[in-house]
Amino acid sequence: MSRLLPKSLIGQLLALVAITLLIAQAINIVLLYRGAQNQKIMEASVSAVGRITGEIERINERGFREPRTRRDGSRRIRRNRPSVTVESAIPVGQQRLPTIEDRAIRAFDNMGIDVLAVEVSRVDSLPSNMTNSVIGLGRERQRLRAIGYRGAANAINGYVIMSAQIADGQWLNIASAVRDRNPRLIRTLLFQTAVIYVILLIPLIWLGRYISRPLKALTKGAQNFKPGTSEPIKESGPPDTKQLIAAFNEMNGRVGAMLDEKDVMLGAIGHDLRTPLAALRVRVESVDDDNERERMIAGIDDMDRTLDDILSLARLGRSDETAEKTDISALIETVADEYSDMGAKVSFTRSERIIANIRATLIRRALRNLIGNAVNYGKQAAISVEKTGDKLVIYVDDKGPGIPEDQIDAMFEPFARAEISRNRATGGSGLGLTLARAIVRDHGGDVILKNRPEGGLRASLILNLD
């Protein structure tokens, strides 16, 4: 069901109003239909009461007379007049209409007509014993013709049979045709529903667009949000939406100010730490013991690289480098050759030319971190590239021991290392994977680690090509 619902705010709003209106109109149509049915039966019963009243008054004035006989000895048939029987024309057990019966009794009382009992029932077809005591068959057509209407009369939709017992115990029975007027009613209701939809939904469409346009602009601004560099979004729409956009713009300004302060602080930290490190290295050069001097220099270089990783991670997203179209295969080949020249086992078979819009310096650094981990922990790195649709995946496979499944996610945490000894010979500071994932995610991609079935670890660097 949720798949059929619109995804946009205006679509869901219109769908909700349309469904609600449809349900309300359906209930209204059902109620009016039932009311029309009752009204038709009531009209037929009123006609029956009138005809029985006239017959009773005639009997009271002239007395009961048997139908006259023709010359051939047969009795004349009295058409459209109540039949007189010893018993009611409504059989025992047939469903009756108590409400109509009560109203008929009250009507007879109001007109001063004395009846002992009244029975009323509705049937779909006319019983054979009532064929000569039925009213309403031709009256409608005659009335329409009298006013010049040549259309067909309303169809007959059953009959109301009324039997009234008079003072001498006999029953007067009459059938009244029930005319079907529902087609006109339903057409009117459908037309009314269409008019209501047009009158109601057109303003809602305008209101929905009035609300959704600034929200779409806000959504686009949030998706393209670059702290401190995003342009303020124009405030438009209803007051609540304007306040939301204004709050977003203020947040953007505060975040930019905080990042500016952070950059100033990082610059100061980098300067204050690198200056003494440089001075310390100069002093170390004067150490006579070659082994001790090399160890000191290596320690200073490690500190300098760690500081560089920390500053790079902290400044990510504020790089001055702009994205440019870059040949990914050529970039990978350059990094692989760097490691091969240093004696590392790194293999890469150049594939077709694949162009992506990236910041090459940052992606190169992320790729170096992944290859460096593969070389340090898995002794070698096999690089391959796969293009699927708008995605580009760079695989870096090694033949190391892999990582326990429950520790893979933790490897992306800052300063986390699979080798816990902190030995520089087997790894770096623990920021390589963190920095690599942060760089790639800043490009809209991701870095995923997965153990290979044949052994070793696979690092997947995923980039968007659009």
Side-chain angles (χ1 to χ4, degrees):
M1 182 63 181
S2 59
R3 295 181 179 178
L4 301 178
L5 293 177
K7 303 299 182 183
S8 63
L9 173 64
I10 176 60
Q12 293 182 358
L13 177 63
L14 292 177
L16 178 61
V17 173
I19 293 173
T20 304
L21 183 59
L22 181 63
I23 294 173
Q25 282 297 100
I27 296 174
N28 184 38
I29 290 174
V30 170
L31 294 177
L32 290 176
Y33 179 82
R34 291 182 177 179
Q37 292 285 346
N38 295 333
Q39 182 65 26
K40 291 185 297 182
I41 294 175
M42 185 63 64
E43 291 176 358
S45 64
V46 168
S47 299
V49 168
R51 187 56 60 94
I52 290 177
T53 299
E55 185 68 15
I56 292 175
E57 290 177 347
R58 189 189 65 79
I59 292 174
N60 291 338
E61 291 176 0
R62 304 178 184 179
F64 178 75
R65 298 179 181 179
E66 293 290 340
R68 297 179 181 180
T69 57
R70 296 187 178 93
R71 294 180 180 179
D72 59 1
S74 61
R75 291 187 176 185
R76 292 182 178 180
I77 299 175
R78 299 187 301 178
R79 298 184 182 277
N80 301 330
R81 290 175 61 184
S83 63
V84 182
T85 59
V86 178
E87 296 180 351
S88 172
I90 300 175
V92 177
Q94 183 170 330
Q95 186 176 2
R96 291 158 54 185
L97 304 175
T99 303
I100 303 297
E101 291 174 353
D102 293 339
R103 292 186 177 184
I105 292 174
R106 290 198 299 270
F108 284 125
D109 290 340
N110 293 334
M111 291 185 292
I113 304 298
D114 185 20
V115 294
L116 301 180
V118 176
E119 294 182 357
V120 182
S121 179
R122 183 189 180 282
V123 295
D124 293 329
S125 58
L126 188 66
S128 58
N129 60 347
M130 299 294 296
T131 55
N132 296 320
S133 300
V134 59
I135 58 176
L137 295 179
R139 180 180 57 191
E140 181 76 11
R141 185 181 296 274
Q142 293 172 0
R143 184 165 61 247
L144 291 173
R145 287 178 177 175
I147 62 176
Y149 181 76
R150 296 184 179 182
N154 292 324
I156 295 176
N157 187 20
Y159 300 86
V160 170
I161 299 178
M162 181 175 293
S163 296
Q165 190 179 28
I166 57 179
D168 61 359
Q170 297 189 92
W171 291 82
L172 298 181
N173 311 293
I174 192 71
S176 180
V178 178
R179 292 288 181 178
D180 186 9
R181 297 180 178 87
N182 286 330
R184 299 177 184 175
L185 174 64
I186 292 176
R187 286 196 296 268
T188 301
L189 291 175
L190 292 177
F191 176 75
Q192 180 190 49
T193 302
V195 172
I196 292 176
Y197 265 95
V198 172
I199 294 176
L200 185 61
L201 293 184
I202 289 180
L204 284 177
I205 292 174
W206 176 84
L207 178 62
R209 291 184 175 179
Y210 178 65
I211 296 175
S212 62
R213 284 177 180 174
L215 290 180
K216 288 181 179 179
L218 180 60
T219 302
K220 185 177 180 180
Q223 291 173 341
N224 300 328
F225 178 68
K226 295 293 184 181
T229 60
S230 300
E231 293 293 330
I233 301 173
K234 181 182 179 181
E235 299 178 13
S236 59
D240 293 344
T241 306
K242 289 182 178 179
Q243 292 177 4
L244 177 61
I245 296 176
F248 180 83
N249 290 333
E250 291 178 4
M251 180 195 70
N252 184 21
R254 290 196 301 269
V255 171
M258 292 173 59
L259 291 177
D260 291 338
E261 293 178 1
K262 185 196 72 171
D263 288 344
V264 173
M265 180 186 66
L266 291 175
I269 292 175
H271 178 270
D272 292 344
L273 290 179
R274 281 200 170 101
T275 299
L277 283 177
L280 182 60
R281 179 158 187 168
V282 172
R283 293 182 182 180
V284 167
E285 294 291 343
S286 61
V287 175
D288 295 333
D289 190 330
D290 293 340
N291 291 333
E292 189 67 22
R293 183 175 63 254
E294 293 300 327
R295 291 176 58 188
M296 290 180 177
I297 292 175
I300 294 173
D301 290 341
D302 290 340
M303 293 175 62
D304 190 63
R305 283 194 298 269
T306 301
L307 178 62
D308 184 57
D309 287 341
I310 294 174
L311 294 177
S312 297
L313 184 62
R315 289 171 176 168
L316 191 63
R318 304 273 285 181
S319 175
D320 294 334
E321 183 183 6
T322 58
E324 296 180 351
K325 294 186 179 299
T326 305
D327 185 349
I328 299 297
S329 297
L331 185 147
I332 297 173
E333 188 174 23
T334 300
V335 178
D337 289 343
E338 292 176 1
Y339 279 89
S340 297
D341 292 342
M342 292 186 293
K345 294 183 179 180
V346 177
S347 62
F348 171 65
T349 302
R350 187 182 178 93
S351 61
E352 61 178 336
R353 192 167 183 258
I354 302 175
I355 304 299
N357 195 35
I358 61 172
R359 286 177 284 177
T361 302
L362 292 177
I363 293 298
R364 186 181 293 110
R365 182 161 192 173
L367 191 58
R368 282 173 179 161
N369 290 351
L370 296 180
I371 297 175
N373 283 345
V375 171
N376 292 331
Y377 293 104
K379 307 305 179 184
Q380 66 179 39
I383 309 171
S384 58
V385 179
E386 180 181 2
K387 180 183 178 182
T388 56
D390 60 346
K391 301 288 184 182
L392 171 68
V393 185
I394 303 173
Y395 298 113
V396 180
D397 300 332
D398 63 43
K399 293 187 177 180
I403 301 174
E405 294 292 338
D406 58 344
Q407 297 182 20
I408 288 180
D409 290 338
M411 291 298 100
F412 290 100
E413 297 295 330
F415 305 107
R417 292 177 54 192
E419 202 283 315
I420 62 174
S421 67
R422 316 296 297 177
N423 186 353
R424 285 291 178 177
T426 58
S429 62
L431 290 173
L433 286 176
T434 305
L435 184 58
R437 171 175 274 189
I439 290 172
V440 178
R441 285 186 172 179
D442 189 56
H443 283 74
D446 203 356
V447 173
I448 299 174
L449 298 181
K450 186 176 181 181
N451 289 310
R452 301 167 64 202
E454 61 273 24
L457 186 72
R458 163 168 282 187
S460 302
L461 191 155
I462 306 171
L463 291 173
N464 292 323
L465 292 177
D466 54 353

